[in-house]
Each structure stands twice: as structure tokens, then as C-alpha cells.
Amino acid sequence: MAPDLQTVQRLVAALLNLAVAVLTGASVSRLWLGRDASAWAAARRQPVRTAAVAAAMVSLAASAAWLWLESAAMAEVPVADAGSAVWTMLRSTHLGVAYCVGTAGLVVAAAGALVRGGAGRWPARLTLAALAVFWYTRSMVSHAAGDGDFSVRLLADWVHLGLISLWVGEVFIAGAIVLKTSGNMAATDRRARSAYVESLSNSATVALSGIFVTGGYAAWRGIGGWDYLIGNPYANTLVAKVLVVGLAAALGGFNRFVVMPAWRAHESTGHAVPHGLPARFKRVLWIEALLLLAAVVLAAWLASTPPPGEQM
């Protein structure tokens, strides 16, 4: 049986969120790799840039598909006949304004990803600044906009989206590209890899701290009280998301406090590290990435599920 329109919308939203997260992680990795002159860093700059470009293209395509599906749903017309509804949405609705601004941000972010710059870091900064605009417009069409486009609730949701994108993206990029198994490494390469791992861990720690603060605030505002903590679709999805994120955070903590210290003790001084440590770090990173993928999907379901107060 074919999935219904709402399910397709949610899957497209999850794809959009994941692609933007990968673009975010690739851009941050470009910054970290761009500050290092080692051969190890140089060999990874182009693959990371390629991932950024691919993620940008997927983001633009998924964003356009999301608007088309949203317009069809709002106008209650078949998806194939939603062309006029899209134009009406863009021209005369708050969602249309937010979408146009957000798409402009995505286009600029894609332009930054496309720029070839070797060790240059300004294209990555341009992409991240443009993504900040995109995240804000996504908050403008979320439950958080119920208090207005410049409310504390919306600002908290904006920061939450940005930090989630950072955490998810940097984990995927590190596991898939940057920390791929290396052959013989010079002392400068080992120090460069050690510095990258430290930057990854520090960034994830800061992101997690902000995610729990902003997510806790958003969850409380969305649920509206202890009476709605269980027994409704919004709360059930939220609890599942919190559990998945908590498990991913625990794995990140294991890497940071158990695996990483021994690894960095060797490589930060340029010495060879036992092969088992990087391999263990990466295995844990991949499990963390799979959990974060589940969290992205749950977040898409949560965003399209009315909070308990709105269901009354």
C-alpha cells in the first residue's frame, strides 16, 4: 500500500533535515581541516567539499519537494495538481515568505559549498551564516512560531535546530570521510588527526549542552504540563526522541572520556597510536550516527504532530 501524503511529507522533511545537517558538518570540518597544513588534512579537504556540495543539492531538492507537498496538503488537491497552490502559498502566506527567505539562505549556502578554496575558510563561514538564516525560517513555520516570529520560544527553537544540525552532521562527516582508516602517517599527520578529533569532541559537547537546554524548554512549552506527558502522539514521539538522543549522547561521552584520552595521549605528540583505539572510536561513532538518523526521523514526525494544547 502506498504511503499517505502526511507520511511522505514527514520523510521529505527528514531528508531535508539530514541533508542540511551533513552540509553543516561538512562546513565545520572544512574550517577545522583548513587550519592545518598536513598531508592528512589536505587529502580530506576535497572529499569533505564534495560531501558539502552533494548535501547542498539534496537540501535544495528536498526543500522544493517539501513546499510542493505542503501546498497540496493545505489546498487539499492531488499532488500532481498542486502547481497553482504552490504559487498561492508563496505569494500570500506567512509560510511562503519564510520559505522564500529560507531558500535564499540555502542557495547562498550551496554557493559557499561550491567554492574551491584549498585551505581557504571563508566559503565554509559563508555557508554556516546562510544556514543560520535557513534554520530561523524553519523555526518560523514550526510550533515555536505560535508566540511570534521574534519570541523567546522561537529563538530557542532556532538555536536547537542549529545545534542538532551541527551534532548530526559532524558525526556523519567524521565517520564517513575524515576518520577513514589511514595508512602510514607522519608525525605531523598524527598531530593533525588528534587535533581534529579534539575539535569534534569539544564541538559535540558544546552542542549537546545547548541541545538539552533548548530542547528541555521547547518540550515543556510544547507539552504544556505534566498531565500531557504521556498518552498522546506528541508526547510519545517526544519521549522516543529523547531516549534516542540520550543513547547517542552516552555513546559520545564514552568516546570522549574513555577512548579519546588514550588516543590523544599518543597522537598529540606525534607518536603512533594502537590501531584498536581509532577503530573503537569509529565503531562507536557509527552507532551514534545511526541513532542520530533515527532522531532526525522522529524530529520530522514531531514537527508535524500537533502539541497536546493544539489538539483540544
Side-chain angles (χ1 to χ4, degrees), residues 94-256:
H94 176 266
L95 185 148
V97 172
Y99 178 84
C100 289
V101 175
T103 299
L106 275 185
V107 169
V108 174
L114 284 165
V115 172
R116 296 179 182 272
R121 297 164 70 184
W122 71 263
R125 292 193 179 101
L126 175 64
T127 296
L128 291 171
L131 287 176
V133 174
F134 171 77
W135 295 324
Y136 198 91
T137 61
R138 293 299 291 173
S139 294
M140 288 173 62
V141 297
S142 71
H143 302 311
D147 293 346
D149 288 343
F150 303 99
S151 64
V152 173
R153 185 181 178 189
L154 190 141
L155 291 172
D157 188 74
W158 176 45
V159 173
H160 188 74
L161 287 178
L163 293 176
I164 282 285
S165 287
L166 173 62
W167 183 28
V168 173
E170 64 190 8
V171 167
F172 271 85
I173 291 296
I177 300 175
V178 180
L179 296 181
K180 290 180 70 173
T181 303
S182 301
N184 294 329
M185 298 176 67
T188 54
D189 295 331
R190 296 191 190 103
R191 285 192 290 267
R193 186 169 70 168
S194 174
Y196 179 92
V197 169
E198 182 179 21
S199 295
L200 172 67
S201 183
N202 290 341
S203 175
T205 299
V206 171
L208 269 172
S209 301
I211 286 167
F212 281 117
V213 172
T214 56
Y217 174 77
W220 181 250
R221 288 298 306 271
I223 292 175
W226 295 109
D227 292 341
Y228 301 112
L229 190 57
I230 57 174
N232 61 83
Y234 185 90
N236 294 341
T237 307
L238 177 62
V239 168
K241 179 188 171 186
V242 169
L243 289 175
V244 169
V245 170
L247 286 172
L251 289 172
F254 176 82
N255 262 346
R256 178 176 178 84

Side-chain angles (χ1 to χ4, degrees), residues 272-301:
V273 63
H275 175 72
L277 291 178
R280 182 185 303 174
F281 188 94
K282 188 176 176 181
R283 280 197 300 270
V284 173
L285 200 67
W286 269 115
I287 299 172
E288 184 181 348
L290 291 175
L291 288 170
L292 291 177
L293 178 60
V296 167
V297 174
L298 288 169
W301 253 253

